[in-house]
Amino acid sequence: MKNILVTGGAGYIGSHVIVRLHEEGYNAIILDDFSNSNKSVLKGLHKITGKDFRVYEGDILDISLFEKIFHENQIEGVIHFAAKKAVGESVDNPLLYYKNNVTGLITLLESMTENKIKNLVFSSSCTVYGQPDSLPVTEDSPIRPANSPYGNTKQIGEEMIEDTVKSGAFLRSIALRYFNPIGAHPSGEIGELPLGIPNNLVPFITQTAAGLRDSLTVFGQDYNTQDGTCIRDYIHVMDLADAHVQCLKYLENINNPNHFDFMNIGTGTGSTVLDAISSFENQSGKKLNYQLGPRRPGDVEKIYAQVDKSVELLNWRTQFTLDDAMRDAWNWQKKLSSI
């Protein structure tokens, strides 16, 4: 059984990837500092898989911790999620983001190359495209100047990995540029667990429906879209998790010891914010208290992916719908509210 290190493995996307790795016969090992996650996630993972995973609690800036992990486990690959991820916070505190996201990746790459760990799946983002000139966004779409320090750390991360590969390091890596992850595990045992006020749309929707928030403000009602609200490519987190596992398998089968590439991971379909709200109301049976407000600075008007490359190379495609994601997100929220 191959050991795979998942940094940020107790986080939203990381925890769902842990489940898919287990289902595909991998042994997942978690590294997390629990600064933006909760240890209750480990109980949820146990309920789903029946397994207690090895967990290392610590900071990705600590190279001695990576050395310890690689010494104690025969690691075959790394899936790297651990990073600060709030756009607004990155604008307010850019040095925190550059220190954590950029220096943390440097630390990981140094330790991986030193210990000859050759497979790396990197968590990137569609933020690298900014506001695209045309849709859908392909991997050939131009990279725009980032709208935030967070987005810039994703661009820098991709560049650092590519430069490391070009230097002759024995490293095979793919950056997955994914769009808007939503939903939860269908069991309701794990899901998105924001600390404080949510930064993302769906947990704000579910918390409003559960009475934890008074109302939801939809930012912008005069965009050039069918209903005036922003368009996003919402992908179920389990589809996204599966893409990471298929990406790891793809890397394992590449003969070239030096390889870097990037792929879009989305549904290929754009939905407006009001589409998402309507889907939630249909799935939950609850009328959501929301209001239309002014545009929010920095928001992209519309973006959705072309996913031909990932479908072809990874033999992967999405299985869940927007309605599925809203149903699962609401079941997760109801479980949280009952605890």
Side-chain angles (χ1 to χ4, degrees):
M1 185 177 291
K2 295 178 179 178
N3 294 326
I4 305 299
L5 175 64
V6 183
T7 72
Y12 174 42
I13 302 172
S15 59
H16 290 79
V17 168
I18 297 291
V19 173
R20 285 296 296 128
L21 285 168
H22 175 77
E23 291 171 345
E24 292 295 315
Y26 291 94
N27 181 46
I29 294 169
I30 297 171
L31 168 60
D32 207 297
D33 67 358
F34 296 97
S35 63
N36 197 36
S37 57
N38 193 293
K39 291 184 180 180
S40 63
V41 170
L42 304 177
K43 295 179 181 179
L45 288 173
H46 178 82
K47 288 182 178 180
I48 295 169
T49 65
K51 178 177 178 178
D52 291 319
F53 295 91
R54 176 173 287 187
V55 179
Y56 289 86
E57 183 173 353
D59 194 327
I60 57 170
L61 299 176
D62 183 0
I63 195 167
S64 65
L65 179 56
F66 281 118
E67 294 299 317
K68 175 181 173 66
I69 295 171
F70 293 147
H71 176 73
E72 294 180 351
N73 308 274
Q74 187 176 345
I75 301 294
E76 300 288 335
V78 178
I79 302 178
H80 182 50
F81 294 107
K84 300 289 185 182
K85 62 177 184 177
V87 170
E89 183 186 48
S90 77
V91 174
D92 294 335
N93 195 349
L95 293 183
L96 173 66
Y97 274 67
Y98 288 116
K99 181 178 181 180
N100 189 85
N101 296 9
V102 176
T103 308
L105 178 58
I106 291 172
T107 304
L108 171 62
L109 288 171
E110 286 178 340
S111 191
M112 283 186 68
T113 54
E114 178 69 24
N115 289 276
K116 298 181 172 55
I117 313 297
K118 57 189 177 183
N119 296 315
L120 172 64
V121 181
F122 177 63
S123 168
S124 191
S125 169
C126 68
T127 59
V128 302
Y129 297 117
Q131 176 63 65
D133 292 330
S134 60
L135 294 169
V137 173
T138 76
E139 287 83 359
D140 294 326
S141 297
I143 303 299
R144 302 293 188 191
N147 290 332
S148 68
Y150 162 74
N152 200 28
T153 65
K154 292 301 183 183
Q155 293 184 12
I156 294 170
E158 287 192 13
E159 292 168 355
M160 287 197 310
I161 295 170
E162 183 174 19
D163 287 343
T164 302
V165 170
K166 286 180 177 178
S167 74
F170 289 100
L171 181 67
R172 300 180 298 209
S173 180
I174 292 178
L176 296 185
R177 296 171 175 171
Y178 38 85
F179 285 65
N180 291 74
I182 61 172
H185 192 271
S187 68
E189 296 295 344
I190 58 173
E192 190 166 6
L193 189 60
L195 303 181
I197 299 175
N199 290 299
N200 297 330
L201 174 65
V202 173
F204 213 113
I205 287 176
T206 61
Q207 288 189 12
T208 302
L212 302 177
R213 308 289 164 194
D214 292 334
S215 66
L216 166 73
T217 298
V218 176
F219 295 108
Q221 54 186 306
D222 58 351
Y223 286 107
N224 182 27
T225 64
Q226 56 264 41
D227 60 25
T229 63
C230 291
I231 288 178
R232 296 291 183 267
D233 189 338
Y234 297 105
I235 180 172
H236 196 294
V237 67
M238 288 308 301
D239 280 329
L240 181 58
D242 186 54
H244 285 79
V245 178
Q246 301 311 317
C247 184
L248 182 64
K249 292 181 178 180
Y250 175 77
L251 287 173
E252 290 172 344
N253 291 315
I254 292 177
N255 292 324
N256 185 355
N258 307 96
H259 179 85
F260 175 75
D261 205 351
F262 41 84
M263 299 179 189
N264 290 338
I265 303 294
T267 66
T269 301
S271 301
T272 68
V273 174
L274 292 185
D275 286 336
I277 291 174
S278 176
S279 173
F280 174 80
E281 291 180 332
N282 290 335
Q283 291 302 306
S284 67
K286 296 183 73 68
K287 188 68 176 175
L288 193 69
N289 182 24
Y290 72 90
Q291 58 193 16
L292 299 175
R295 296 187 184 192
R296 183 171 56 183
D299 276 349
V300 170
E301 179 176 85
K302 45 191 171 183
I303 187 169
Y304 58 92
Q306 184 181 93
V307 293
D308 294 359
K309 183 176 181 179
S310 53
V311 168
E312 177 184 355
L313 295 183
L314 303 184
N315 191 28
W316 164 89
R317 61 186 68 247
T318 56
Q319 303 295 321
F320 295 89
T321 65
L322 178 61
D323 284 347
D324 293 333
M326 290 300 181
R327 176 202 65 214
D328 294 339
W330 180 232
N331 286 337
W332 163 243
Q333 182 64 61
K334 287 189 294 184
K335 182 177 179 63
L336 283 177
S337 299
S338 67
I339 295 175

